[in-house]
Amino acid sequence: TYPANTPVNLSATAGITLTGNQVLSGTSTFTADADSDDNGAGVFTIETGVTLSTADQAVSITAGDFVINGTGAINAGSGVVTLAPSTAVSIGIGTGAGTFHVSNAEANAITAGTLTIGDASKASVVTVDGLTMLNKNLSITTDSTINDTDDAGDAITLGTGTLTLRSNGAIGGLNAQGLNIDVSTLNVTSTGGNDITIRDSGDIVGG
């Protein structure tokens, strides 16, 4: 437990592991850089049974990789949770492959107003597939491309949630159907003038 209304900032070169509950109150935000020398070796880990919680305030984690073990969790209430690689390595989400990886189980162990994965300043190739976060909001951002693995099924399923995609590269350019999704609201920003190919299997509101 930390003092109320006091930002918590953690930094390490060789990784950060949370082995006990981290409780922040008031306006306290949580920021961690588990790979401060940017060599890719610093992993941010939450052990099983451990919860990092804020009172609807932001959580920002930068690392070489991100791991939630077992029943570990992040609960930021309505606050934004941002997970970003320390360098421009590939990002895998769900069953998508990547050096910086957020699995379906890890994504669903996070309570947030929006879960943001990636960094707009880093050219990380993003591959997402097999991700189901019902009625949650997801934002994926990169200076590179965003694709799914194949055209089988939906790569991202959010139910009534909002999906926001920001890239400086093509979106859905790897497969014939493009990026396959099932979301309620979609917001897309592409700053590189590249093609955007998205197929939604349900009803969608574009933004």
Side-chain angles (χ1 to χ4, degrees):
T1 302
Y2 298 94
N5 308 317
T6 303
V8 175
N9 297 284
L10 305 179
S11 180
T13 59
I16 294 172
T17 300
L18 302 185
T19 58
N21 291 333
Q22 311 290 303
V23 181
L24 284 67
S25 59
T27 60
S28 298
T29 57
F30 181 91
T31 302
D33 187 347
D35 189 43
S36 60
D37 60 357
D38 296 337
N39 71 354
V43 178
F44 186 92
T45 304
I46 299 177
E47 293 292 13
T48 188
V50 173
T51 298
L52 164 61
S53 62
T54 72
D56 300 319
Q57 301 300 311
V59 172
S60 179
I61 297 168
T62 302
D65 196 9
F66 174 79
V67 177
I68 295 180
N69 288 318
T71 58
I74 296 175
N75 186 351
S78 62
V80 174
V81 174
T82 301
L83 309 176
S86 52
T87 60
V89 295
S90 58
I91 296 175
I93 305 172
T95 58
T99 300
F100 184 92
H101 189 256
V102 181
S103 70
N104 187 72
E106 289 167 337
N108 281 281
I110 297 171
T111 300
T114 298
L115 171 60
T116 297
I117 301 175
D119 185 332
S121 70
K122 294 183 174 66
S124 298
V125 173
V126 177
T127 304
V128 55
D129 219 328
L131 181 70
T132 299
M133 296 170 53
L134 291 179
N135 310 326
K136 296 184 177 182
N137 301 321
L138 174 67
S139 177
I140 300 174
T141 181
T142 179
D143 193 44
S144 185
T145 58
I146 302 173
N147 290 291
D148 54 6
T149 303
D150 52 42
D151 284 333
D154 293 316
I156 302 171
T157 302
L158 300 184
T160 60
T162 296
L163 175 63
T164 301
L165 303 174
R166 297 184 177 92
S167 78
N168 192 38
I171 298 175
L174 187 62
N175 301 297
Q177 292 181 359
L179 180 65
N180 291 279
I181 63 173
D182 184 2
V183 305
S184 177
T185 303
L186 174 65
N187 301 308
V188 181
T189 301
S190 179
T191 57
N194 296 285
D195 289 340
I196 299 172
T197 308
I198 297 173
R199 174 184 174 274
D200 185 84
S201 62
D203 296 327
I204 190 170
V205 176

